[in-house]
Amino acid sequence: MKRNIFLVFASPSILVMTLLMALPLAMAIWLSMHFMTFTNVLEPQWVGLRNYVDVLGDAQFWQSFEFTVVYIAVVVPSWIVIGFIMALLLDQQSGLARGIYLSIYLLPFIIVPIVGTIMFRQLFEPSGILRWLYQEIFNTRFRYTEQTVKALVLFHGVWYVTPFTLVVYFAGLQTLPQDLLEAAGIDGASRLQKIRYVVIPHVRSLTLFILLFSIMDSYRVFDSVYVLTELNPIYKAHTVMTYTFQTSMRLQRLGKANAMAVLTVIGIMVVLIPNLYYSWKEQLAER
Amino acid sequence: MDRVTSRWGRILIQIILFLFAIYSIVPFVWTALQSIKTVRDAGSRIPKLLFTPTMENYEDLWLRSTPANPEALAFFLLLALVLLVGLLLFAQYIPGRRPLVYGLAVAGFTTLLWGIPQLLDTDRFYDFFMNTLIVTVGTIVISISIGCLAGYALARYIGLLGVFLLLAALAFRALPRFAFVLPYYWIGSALHLLDSRMLVIITLVAVNQPFTIWMLRSFFMEVPKDLEESAMVDGANRLTSFLNVIVPVAWPGIISTALFTLLLAYNEFLLVRVLTQTNWTLPVAISRFTGGEDPRHLTLAAAASVSATIPIIVVILLFQKHLVKGLAAGAVKG
């Protein structure tokens, strides 16, 4: 394909991404240097770097950053381990049951995150079945505190994304090199050895892919944490994104919120740059 | 992998698979039960598993007043729905004239959806449902049309420019919504577009574009090059050969991508929450039912959650293969 034909075909998409992604990103940087509330959106007031100083000195911001790191550290390994094990087990199932299980397992990942979180919360409401179970088993009252809300956020995080890794690994298992498995079997390898020396190396590139994207996605987790904390404003279990939301929508400090968003973008670069480098090499190899 | 053969091993696997299914589905079952309880039963501190089911929460949610003859109306609506879905399902067995049949079904659905408020005194939740539908369909149509062109161009062009575009898209995909949402708010207020469905659709198309072109590109790569080359020898130009030869071959992949676009637009919360004050879509509308002291919020949130989930369950059942294929194709979620 010639270059000008490429440009003609790609131009609508390039136009949309320039006008509505590159430009807004530049604007976010510009707006982050202004004092802005919902009343002066169109005439923001220049304050230079004061918003950044403000954010970096904000203890609550650092608290939310800390919880975001904890979230990533707990949730991402759980997705990978549980997803991989369940994919191995589901692979043992065949026929109709396999499809039915797959549909059921996909449910938490596919439904509206806000709705999924509300459903999850229903289990722990004062009349919820899991709260009742908890109180029956441990014989103490279940209360919404900072600790329990954080535990719920983590638990929900594991619950709703595991189906994604499960399906990706499950698809990876369908393309296992059969000859290698057979050779391993002839050599007398046990099942665990086969998994260790054939299956895991086979899904290594998938794992890398999941790792890069799930770190970036869990860093910017918003919807579920919003439902579990923001709606109970007393319980502080903010992540960076929900704290940014609170700063913009509740406190109306739009400039400061923009500064937080820009800082988040810089934070994501840590994972994004290796990812870009990896894709760059992959793309060049393809051509 | 080869199968586990020992009997106890197989039983253990069955038990784990079953327990994991329970774990995945418990919140849905519990919420569905809560949604058909009276406020009193739902609020009981000791969970009630035996109760008299009621539809009053759904009535409260969707209707402003109870119609005079609910049974007749429900029967009529169900009949129309069954007829239309049946028409869609059997369209492939009707010889020839398939576009006509699909057109008829779509026209039927449209009439039905816009006709319901004439028959029933619908509440605002119905408006939010319609908003969601319009936003979702609008986003899919625009995003997939321009995404197909770009995805195809990226699959066939080997220059460095293509690599730059792909990497830029990857970078945009990784960034948090918040980096874009407040500038969108600024743009919306400068152009007096706040609270309009159009702004929501256009911004959704934009945030969707990086993911869409990556995914569509991977599907177009699978289409052999000889196909359009032979069409172009026959005198077709790039665009007509693309539309007539490539798109039909890549159609399953396009459906997969459209499904993910559907989920993304249907699920979006933050963007809609910031850019609209009254023209909400379902996620924002539902989030309003949580919290607060009104005891009815518990059951209304349950009924609203179930109502918003049913369309998604239908989608999973109809398109499970496409979904799995999309996820497996290296699809990148959200």
Side-chain angles (χ1 to χ4, degrees):
Chain A
M1 188 184 265
K2 294 208 183 66
R3 186 172 167 172
N4 37 4
I5 299 182
F6 167 75
L7 283 175
V8 170
F9 268 74
S11 58
S13 186
I14 294 178
L15 194 72
V16 167
M17 286 202 282
T18 319
L19 285 182
L20 287 169
M21 302 209 90
L23 196 71
L25 198 61
M27 258 170 79
I29 297 171
W30 179 73
L31 288 175
S32 72
M33 297 180 186
H34 287 79
F35 178 80
M36 184 170 129
T37 65
F38 282 113
T39 50
N40 72 335
V41 172
L42 294 179
E43 295 103 24
Q45 189 188 338
W46 174 263
V47 291
L49 290 176
R50 204 177 307 159
N51 282 323
Y52 287 92
V53 176
D54 205 9
V55 173
L56 292 176
D58 184 347
Q60 263 200 300
F61 176 76
W62 288 109
Q63 253 173 36
S64 65
F65 178 75
E66 206 181 290
F67 183 53
T68 313
V69 173
V70 171
Y71 182 84
I72 297 173
V74 170
V75 151
V76 173
S78 313
W79 291 342
I80 290 179
V81 172
I82 301 175
F84 181 64
I85 292 175
M86 288 314 296
L88 278 177
L89 293 177
L90 185 62
D91 191 42
Q92 293 288 326
Q93 183 67 254
S94 58
L96 186 64
R98 178 190 266 210
I100 294 174
Y101 275 137
L102 204 54
S103 286
I104 294 177
Y105 294 167
L106 268 175
L107 218 48
F109 178 65
I110 244 72
I111 55 152
V112 188
I114 289 279
V115 168
T117 321
I118 288 174
M119 289 183 158
F120 192 81
R121 235 180 75 147
Q122 292 259 349
L123 297 171
F124 296 95
E125 296 283 5
S127 58
I129 191 161
L130 283 192
R131 176 189 285 238
W132 171 79
L133 207 65
Y134 177 93
Q135 288 171 347
E136 290 293 304
I137 293 172
F138 297 106
N139 216 5
T140 54
R141 272 182 61 105
F142 179 92
R143 285 190 171 88
Y144 282 134
T145 62
E146 190 180 328
Q147 265 65 41
T148 54
V149 171
K150 278 183 174 172
L152 285 188
V153 168
L154 295 174
F155 184 18
H156 176 264
V158 173
W159 178 73
Y160 95 113
V161 191
T162 308
F164 169 68
T165 54
L166 196 161
V167 171
V168 172
Y169 278 129
F170 181 72
L173 288 180
Q174 309 311 310
T175 60
L176 274 179
Q178 293 300 327
D179 45 338
L180 230 67
L181 277 178
E182 270 166 37
I186 292 165
D187 288 348
S190 70
R191 181 169 296 277
L192 281 180
Q193 281 172 327
K194 279 186 200 166
I195 292 176
R196 169 72 188 81
Y197 293 106
V198 181
V199 180
I200 290 182
H202 177 70
V203 298
R204 180 163 292 148
S205 63
L206 282 181
T207 309
L208 189 65
F209 156 80
I210 292 175
L211 202 64
L212 286 173
F213 279 96
S214 53
I215 290 177
M216 291 189 305
D217 284 346
S218 45
Y219 191 77
R220 54 180 193 171
V221 60
F222 176 76
D223 292 11
S224 57
V225 188
Y226 172 81
V227 172
L228 288 168
T229 73
E230 187 79 8
L231 300 168
N232 288 315
I234 320 149
Y235 313 110
K236 300 294 180 201
H238 278 305
T239 58
V240 176
M241 287 294 98
T242 53
Y243 187 55
T244 313
F245 183 85
Q246 160 139 335
T247 310
S248 62
M249 302 310 279
R250 297 260 188 286
L251 308 177
Q252 296 216 8
R253 298 288 303 277
L254 299 186
K256 188 180 169 188
N258 259 315
M260 286 182 196
V262 172
L263 287 173
T264 311
V265 169
I266 294 171
I268 281 183
M269 290 293 169
V270 176
V271 196
L272 181 60
I273 287 171
N275 195 347
L276 285 176
Y277 177 70
Y278 179 73
S279 310
W280 165 256
K281 287 184 82 170
E282 199 184 62
Q283 286 297 325
L284 288 190
E286 255 179 37
R287 276 148 220 267
Chain B
M1 280 286 273
D2 44 336
R3 309 253 161 224
V4 171
T5 43
S6 78
R7 187 158 162 232
W8 288 109
R10 292 221 64 83
I11 292 176
L12 188 68
I13 289 173
Q14 288 304 324
I15 291 175
I16 297 177
L17 286 176
F18 184 72
L19 287 180
F20 198 74
I22 301 273
Y23 155 88
S24 303
I25 215 173
V26 154
F28 299 91
V29 175
W30 176 248
T31 310
L33 286 177
Q34 290 286 68
S35 77
I36 51 171
K37 290 178 185 174
T38 57
V39 177
R40 238 184 101 86
D41 282 347
S44 152
R45 291 297 153 116
I46 296 156
K48 279 200 175 174
L49 292 175
L50 291 173
F51 56 91
T52 341
T54 162
M55 291 304 279
E56 67 184 24
N57 300 315
Y58 288 94
E59 250 181 68
D60 278 0
L61 185 71
W62 289 92
L63 299 177
R64 234 183 280 271
S65 60
T66 317
N69 43 353
E71 288 85 4
L73 276 172
F75 176 74
F76 167 73
L77 288 176
L78 265 179
L79 187 72
L81 207 64
V82 168
L83 278 177
L84 286 170
V85 171
L87 190 64
L88 273 182
L89 286 181
F90 286 103
Q92 46 187 319
Y93 302 112
I94 303 170
R97 295 187 190 278
R98 233 194 270 166
L100 186 76
V101 177
Y102 284 127
L104 262 179
V106 169
F109 270 119
T110 320
T111 331
L112 186 65
L113 286 170
W114 261 270
I116 284 175
Q118 313 296 322
L119 290 174
L120 296 161
D121 189 12
T122 51
D123 207 341
R124 286 182 72 200
F125 197 74
Y126 190 79
D127 304 336
F128 299 142
F129 174 71
M130 291 299 282
N131 267 340
T132 313
L133 218 62
I134 294 168
V135 165
T136 308
V137 172
T139 309
I140 292 177
V141 170
I142 302 177
S143 183
I144 295 296
S145 318
I146 65 175
C148 272
L149 290 171
Y152 171 65
L154 284 167
R156 290 293 188 258
Y157 178 65
I158 49 167
L160 270 188
L161 208 61
V163 183
F164 287 134
L165 183 56
L166 280 171
L167 291 190
L170 191 64
F172 286 141
R173 202 216 78 104
L175 300 183
R177 285 272 195 289
F178 246 107
F180 305 110
V181 161
L182 292 175
Y184 289 161
Y185 186 86
W186 192 93
I187 295 173
S189 48
L191 300 177
H192 300 287
L193 277 176
L194 284 182
D195 209 21
S196 71
R197 286 185 287 245
M198 188 155 87
L199 183 68
V200 173
I201 290 177
I202 291 179
T203 50
L204 272 176
V205 167
V207 296
N208 225 336
Q209 221 21 231
F211 157 77
T212 311
I213 61 176
W214 266 89
M215 192 161 172
L216 283 171
R217 173 181 174 268
S218 74
F219 287 122
F220 284 122
M221 300 265 284
E222 289 169 14
V223 179
K225 270 187 189 153
D226 332 350
L227 264 181
E228 79 247 35
E229 274 160 15
S230 57
M232 279 161 73
V233 168
D234 291 344
N237 66 19
R238 270 277 174 195
L239 190 65
T240 50
S241 72
F242 169 67
L243 289 177
N244 297 330
V245 182
I246 307 295
V247 167
V249 178
W251 193 244
I254 297 176
I255 298 275
S256 284
T257 318
L259 270 176
F260 282 90
T261 312
L262 182 152
L263 291 177
L264 203 127
Y266 192 88
N267 290 351
E268 182 61 38
F269 172 73
L270 180 60
L271 210 76
V272 184
R273 170 75 176 73
V274 174
L275 296 181
T276 60
Q277 283 95 48
T278 54
N279 261 327
W280 298 329
T281 59
L282 287 181
V284 180
I286 294 171
S287 78
R288 296 284 156 145
F289 286 124
T290 55
E293 297 304 312
D294 188 345
R296 277 177 55 217
H297 273 182
L298 187 72
T299 49
L300 279 181
S305 301
V306 173
S307 304
T309 306
I310 287 171
I312 295 296
I313 290 183
V314 172
V315 167
I316 297 195
L317 291 180
L318 288 180
F319 295 105
Q320 197 220 47
K321 283 225 171 68
H322 290 280
L323 271 174
V324 173
K325 186 183 159 190
L327 285 166
V332 181
K333 74 199 177 63

